[in-house]
Amino acid sequence: DEDLDRVALNRAYRDAGFGLDAIRRILARNQPLAEALKLRLAEVEAQIEAQRRVAATLRAALASPSPSHDDLRRIWTMTSLSQTERRAVIERFFGEVSADPQINPNWAAQMVKLSTPDLPDEPTAEQIDAWIELSRMVSDPAFIETMRANARDSEGHSMNAERFNSLYGDLKARAREAMAQGVEPDSKAGRAFGEEFLTIWAVSTGQEPDAAYRDRMKRKYFEHMPKTGRYWHLVRLLRTNRDHGTPDPEGLWIDQAMKRVRNDS
């Protein structure tokens, strides 16, 4: 009976993924069981994360009607980057965008702060796909020129990032309440949030949010849309709500309201 129990115990450890050497150490009490279990759990979680990246890579590659070896290699590189490496991608992008004497040098630094992904340890499939798409966008010369033209339109105004974050945080808090009440972003009440976002942007860049400013901003959005709009939509998906490990729903809701404001213009 003792031998049968030992065989059953061995089988349980083998099913949990332990190798024979590890099982031998555990049964000989050369390694505390809790320590062995923690090490095995870390291995399993690392394997799960690796398999998740593999799945994201395959899914992204299959999105192309004729995937190539280069596509697969590039996509794998994108999905396996660390947070620091993702920030470096965004910094390089805005470094290229701001390589123009007409662009305020502080603008690029501010855009990097607003654009750098803040993904959880286990990003959703939607977030992984968003990062892959964003990575493609920031390496596209045509989009770099679009963002450069957008930067020139900023007319040298610097943003007070602290003030923007404070005002925008308050706007998102009120957007959360509106969402809970069932307010749609394309309703009159929803569009008011889009208009207020323009005011926040003006105040944060030291400009007067008068009718001329609003018309200019709407025209700029219209001229540079839909590419820049898609960019900021992806950024919002990647700016994670750390409390829940999910994309920021209020930011996405305000983004929809902004689209209606632009359409109305």
Side-chain angles (χ1 to χ4, degrees), residues 4-5 13 36 58 67 76 82 85 105 108 129 131 133 169 229 239 254:
L4 288 174
D5 287 342
Y13 281 121
L58 296 175
W76 172 250
S82 67
E85 290 167 327
D129 290 341
W131 171 248
E133 183 180 348
R239 299 285 287 184
I254 294 172

Side-chain angles (χ1 to χ4, degrees), residues 3 29 79 96 149 218 246:
D3 290 340
R29 301 185 185 281
T79 56
E96 292 186 50
K218 290 178 182 179
T246 57

Side-chain angles (χ1 to χ4, degrees), residues 205-216:
T205 53
Q207 301 178 77
E208 182 64 34
D210 53 20
Y213 169 83
R214 290 172 178 275
D215 289 343
R216 185 170 69 254

Side-chain angles (χ1 to χ4, degrees), residues 188-217:
K188 182 177 180 180
R191 291 198 299 275
F193 281 85
E195 293 283 356
E196 187 170 348
F197 181 83
L198 292 179
T199 299
I200 290 174
W201 194 271
V203 171
S204 301
T205 53
Q207 301 178 77
E208 182 64 34
D210 53 20
Y213 169 83
R214 290 172 178 275
D215 289 343
R216 185 170 69 254
M217 287 292 287

Side-chain angles (χ1 to χ4, degrees), residues 2-170:
E2 289 180 2
D3 290 340
L4 288 174
D5 287 342
R6 188 178 179 87
V7 169
L9 187 58
N10 270 273
R11 177 176 295 174
Y13 281 121
R14 290 289 285 170
D15 289 344
F18 286 94
L20 291 177
D21 288 340
I23 296 173
R24 205 173 283 118
R25 288 195 301 272
I26 294 170
L27 296 182
R29 301 185 185 281
N30 292 331
Q31 182 182 27
L33 178 57
E35 178 184 326
L37 294 178
K38 288 178 181 178
L39 290 173
R40 179 56 189 153
L41 177 59
E43 291 175 359
V44 171
E45 290 177 339
Q47 291 168 358
I48 290 172
E49 179 59 27
Q51 291 301 310
R52 185 180 289 110
R53 289 199 300 269
V54 171
T57 301
L58 296 175
R59 183 172 56 252
L62 289 172
S64 170
S66 301
S68 67
H69 297 302
D70 288 339
D71 289 336
L72 187 62
R73 183 166 54 249
R74 185 179 66 254
I75 293 168
W76 172 250
T77 300
M78 292 174 183
T79 56
S80 59
L81 294 179
S82 67
Q83 297 279 40
T84 301
E85 290 167 327
R86 291 190 186 97
R87 180 182 176 86
V89 169
I90 300 301
E91 288 176 337
R92 280 198 300 272
F93 168 62
F94 280 107
E96 292 186 50
V97 170
S98 61
D100 185 318
Q102 299 181 46
I103 297 175
N104 188 318
N106 293 326
W107 178 86
Q110 293 158 356
M111 291 300 103
V112 168
K113 288 181 180 179
L114 293 173
S115 301
T116 300
D118 184 25
L119 291 172
D121 295 333
E122 296 185 11
T124 65
E126 184 181 29
Q127 287 176 315
I128 292 174
D129 290 341
W131 171 248
I132 292 171
E133 183 180 348
L134 187 72
S135 299
R136 287 172 174 163
M137 290 184 73
V138 299
S139 63
D140 179 4
F143 183 63
I144 291 173
E145 182 52 42
T146 295
M147 287 294 279
R148 188 175 291 143
N150 190 35
R152 293 191 195 103
D153 283 350
S154 66
E155 300 176 351
H157 294 285
S158 296
M159 172 181 282
N160 184 326
E162 184 177 346
R163 189 171 191 186
F164 173 81
N165 289 332
S166 175
L167 294 173
Y168 186 52
D170 177 68

